[in-house]
Amino acid sequence: MASPSQRYRITITPIEKDGLQCSGRCTIELEHRAQQDWMRLLEVARRQTGLAGDERAAAIVATQLLQDLVARYAEQPAHPLTTLQPQLGQVLDALDAIQRAP
């Protein structure tokens, strides 16, 4: 049985100096299948302190992306993310601790 997952579309759009979104073809989009419900994680994180709102959201998304990528390639010993797993594990643990700060 497949593990449950959520699909997310991540959009990155530069903001111009005047505060408006850029015009033309300047948006990057990617899709990611996540093992966690990011919306739930973001809702819970709103009640926590330690990071500003945008920083907290960025930390959650970055942490979840890295966790999912590491897990996806865990069975491939030669994959760069697998060889970096000990260091990534430390980083992910530290990010998790920051996100759980009261």
Side-chain angles (χ1 to χ4, degrees), residues 1-2 9 14 16 19 23 25 29 33-34 41 49 51 61-62 65 69-70 74 79 82 85 87 95-96 98-99:
M1 180 165 143
R9 177 170 292 131
E16 300 292 335
S23 59
R25 297 183 58 173
E29 286 191 350
R33 186 167 300 277
L41 294 172
T49 59
L51 293 173
V61 170
L65 281 168
L69 289 171
V70 167
H79 194 279
T82 303
Q85 200 289 321
Q87 295 89 341
L95 285 169
D96 189 46
I98 290 169
Q99 293 170 35

Side-chain angles (χ1 to χ4, degrees), residues 11-16 20-29:
T11 304
I12 302 164
T13 305
I15 298 173
E16 300 292 335
L20 299 174
Q21 292 183 358
C22 68
S23 59
R25 297 183 58 173
C26 57
T27 298
I28 301 167
E29 286 191 350

Side-chain angles (χ1 to χ4, degrees), residues 20-87:
L20 299 174
Q21 292 183 358
C22 68
S23 59
R25 297 183 58 173
C26 57
T27 298
I28 301 167
E29 286 191 350
L30 59 108
E31 286 194 20
H32 179 75
R33 186 167 300 277
Q35 296 303 309
Q36 296 281 329
D37 181 344
W38 292 3
M39 300 309 287
R40 180 72 182 128
L41 294 172
L42 290 165
E43 288 171 4
V44 170
R46 279 192 323 193
R47 296 184 286 272
Q48 296 171 336
T49 59
L51 293 173
D54 286 347
E55 293 169 342
R56 191 169 29 251
I60 288 169
V61 170
T63 300
Q64 294 303 309
L65 281 168
L66 279 173
Q67 285 176 342
D68 290 340
L69 289 171
V70 167
R72 188 167 296 140
Y73 296 104
E75 302 300 320
Q76 298 178 24
H79 194 279
L81 288 174
T82 303
T83 59
L84 288 172
Q85 200 289 321
Q87 295 89 341

